[in-house]
Amino acid sequence: MTTPTVFWEPRVYQGELRELAQVRNDLARDLTGFDPDLVDTLRLCASELHANAARYTDPDRLYGEVIRSLSMPDERTLRLSFSDSGGGGGVPRIPSERTEGEWDRAEGQRGLLLLEHLAREWGHVRLAPWADLGTCVWATFDVDPAAVPTGLRPFVFTD
């Protein structure tokens, strides 16, 4: 794996849905100067990823935190990821053929369909599966290199 062109300092949130407005606001601030449509797309996907991470975060572990990471691994790609603190079980996957009752119970996984259509690619990795330390779900998005704000530093500190 190559060193990212830009790496934003990770942001840590409580694993609760009430954090969604802050997650979206922070992401918009971190991506100031990028194409507004791209920022809106990432904010929408971030909402889904944070909601899923909050659902699978164990509130009794690591204070029930969700970690957001953001980077540009190259000049044409933004990479967004959310990691939960484990204990909730489950593996992120796109829903498949289901009965009506199964669809009702799978409400949280519908956001992955959105991610599937808006991101270039997405995936997940278990964090130390032998200790159930959580899951990281990531997605990459295309960036027009000509539209990248000038003056980005290799490491961006968040406030």
Side-chain angles (χ1 to χ4, degrees):
M1 181 173 210
T2 60
T3 302
T5 303
V6 180
F7 187 84
W8 283 260
E9 180 179 17
R11 289 191 181 264
V12 180
Y13 302 95
Q14 293 198 7
E16 298 179 6
L17 292 179
R18 66 185 168 126
E19 295 279 307
L20 282 172
Q22 188 66 51
V23 168
R24 289 190 296 264
N25 290 340
D26 289 344
L27 188 57
R29 186 171 49 248
D30 291 345
L31 294 175
T32 297
F34 281 86
D35 176 60
D37 287 337
L38 177 63
V39 174
D40 286 345
T41 297
L42 266 81
R43 290 177 73 206
L44 179 60
C45 291
S47 295
E48 295 298 334
L49 291 172
H50 178 82
N52 284 348
R55 179 178 180 187
Y56 293 108
T57 291
D58 183 345
D60 297 325
R61 261 181 159 163
L62 298 175
Y63 311 108
E65 294 174 337
V66 171
I67 300 170
R68 188 218 71 195
S69 299
L70 179 66
S71 66
M72 285 187 72
D74 59 55
E75 64 183 11
R76 298 179 179 279
T77 307
L78 270 170
R79 186 171 199 251
L80 176 68
S81 66
F82 282 79
S83 300
D84 61 52
S85 60
V91 174
R93 65 182 179 84
I94 299 290
S96 57
E97 295 280 331
R98 295 185 174 162
T99 66
E100 187 173 327
E102 289 170 330
W103 273 110
D104 287 342
R105 288 188 300 277
E107 182 69 29
Q109 293 178 334
R110 292 181 185 174
L112 294 177
L113 287 170
L114 184 81
L115 196 62
E116 176 78 11
H117 291 285
L118 295 176
R120 177 193 318 151
E121 61 183 344
W122 74 275
H124 61 88
V125 62
R126 295 287 309 268
L127 306 172
W130 60 89
D132 193 20
L133 294 182
T135 301
C136 174
V137 180
W138 56 267
T140 59
F141 300 86
D142 292 323
V143 176
D144 177 0
V148 173
T150 57
L152 283 177
R153 296 174 176 246
F155 192 81
V156 179
F157 290 97
T158 55
D159 52 18

